[in-house]
Amino acid sequence: MHEGLEFKPYKCPAGKTTIGVGRNLEDRGITKEEAIYLLQNDIKSILNSLVEYDWFVNLDNVRKKVIIDMAFNMGVTGLLSFQNMIQAIREQDYQKAGEEMKNSRWYHQVNSRAKRLVKMMKTGKDY
């Protein structure tokens, strides 16, 4: 009643970044448990978006993990812009899929994360 409910961060009258029902993110932040809860919800949302794509559903768990990680990082829309990688996945050419991942601005932006994910895509082995 007093705080309201906001689903996106906003500045409260005191100028603090706030979310939800008056949660002061600057002074209080969130707990580890809250962070994990949010992450789990984000992963569920990503999975719900990706299950409609046969190229994703047919992947082994390690390569699904790669795709989920990429979607978490850049959004499902950003992931879907990797058309050459997706085509290589459809063809089960995981070496080429990894090379297509490297052939992107994303690869240079996220550095070691991308290198790990490319290796996982190519080998099917977890980190």
Side-chain angles (χ1 to χ4, degrees):
M1 182 169 79
H2 296 124
E3 292 288 342
L5 175 62
E6 297 291 335
F7 299 112
K8 294 191 177 197
Y10 66 97
K11 293 287 185 185
C12 75
K16 302 286 186 170
T17 302
T18 307
I19 196 167
V21 183
R23 171 63 66 95
N24 178 333
L25 292 174
E26 291 180 30
D27 295 339
R28 183 168 177 204
I30 61 175
T31 66
K32 180 179 179 180
E33 291 80 14
E34 289 166 328
I36 298 301
Y37 177 79
L38 292 171
L39 173 62
Q40 289 170 337
N41 283 340
D42 289 342
I43 291 170
K44 284 178 192 173
S45 177
I46 290 166
L47 281 170
N48 287 338
S49 296
L50 293 175
V51 294
E52 69 181 81
Y53 299 101
D54 61 340
W55 59 265
F56 173 77
V57 173
N58 295 326
L59 285 173
D60 59 76
N61 287 336
V62 171
R63 291 181 174 108
K64 280 181 182 174
K65 190 182 219 182
V66 170
I67 297 301
I68 292 166
D69 192 300
M70 290 177 73
F72 181 82
N73 181 239
M74 67 183 104
V76 173
T77 301
L79 169 76
L80 294 176
S81 72
F82 281 63
Q83 288 298 308
N84 293 333
M85 177 196 74
I86 292 169
Q87 184 57 41
I89 289 171
R90 282 189 180 108
E91 296 166 0
Q92 297 181 344
D93 187 344
Y94 302 118
Q95 294 299 312
K96 183 177 180 187
E99 289 303 313
E100 292 298 341
M101 291 165 67
K102 288 171 70 173
N103 187 24
S104 69
R105 189 172 63 210
W106 163 85
Y107 181 83
H108 301 286
Q109 291 172 334
V110 299
N111 217 348
S112 60
R113 178 186 199 163
K115 289 176 183 173
R116 259 190 318 277
L117 294 176
V118 166
K119 184 176 181 182
M120 290 168 65
M121 177 61 73
K122 287 182 171 186
T123 66
K125 294 182 180 168
D126 216 336
Y127 49 85

